[in-house]
Amino acid sequence: KKDSFWERYGYVAGSKNRRIIIKALDKPHTPLELAKTTGLGMNMTSRALRELNHKGIVMCHNPTAKMGRVYELSELGKKIGKEL
């Protein structure tokens, strides 16, 4: 069974870095753009995106790319972003 909305909301709300990334994803971005925009380190940004992607909160448009992956909020991510 998939986590409920509030479980996933809590997952995002429980981490400052995840909150920062959700708020910064107002349009599609690469991890590098997000790292620059948010001031978070590249490793932190990439890890948060990977975890958020796994939870269905963000989606990657080109997952097979080694460089320049493009991430965007999923519908769920947009709903969570509105609640934050």
Side-chain angles (χ1 to χ4, degrees):
K1 167 186 169 311
K2 278 283 193 197
D3 293 344
S4 76
F5 171 81
W6 290 110
E7 281 169 318
R8 287 195 249 183
Y9 172 85
Y11 175 77
V12 172
S15 159
K16 189 178 82 157
N17 293 344
R18 288 192 285 257
R19 284 195 314 268
I20 289 168
I21 285 175
I22 294 294
K23 288 183 185 217
L25 266 176
D26 52 344
K27 62 184 177 67
H29 282 294
T30 65
L32 184 60
E33 290 169 336
L34 277 173
K36 285 179 178 168
T37 305
T38 61
L40 296 173
M42 201 48 206
N43 285 347
M44 232 175 254
T45 302
S46 293
R47 184 171 69 232
L49 285 169
R50 199 167 42 250
E51 291 167 352
L52 291 165
N53 188 37
H54 183 71
K55 292 268 189 191
I57 298 166
V58 302
M59 56 190 171
C60 182
H61 289 294
N62 53 342
T64 57
K66 291 279 177 249
M67 298 288 293
R69 286 190 180 138
V70 179
Y71 289 89
E72 185 173 14
L73 290 176
S74 66
E75 287 308 310
L76 173 69
K78 289 173 186 167
K79 287 179 188 154
I80 290 172
K82 283 190 184 103
E83 293 289 337
L84 286 173

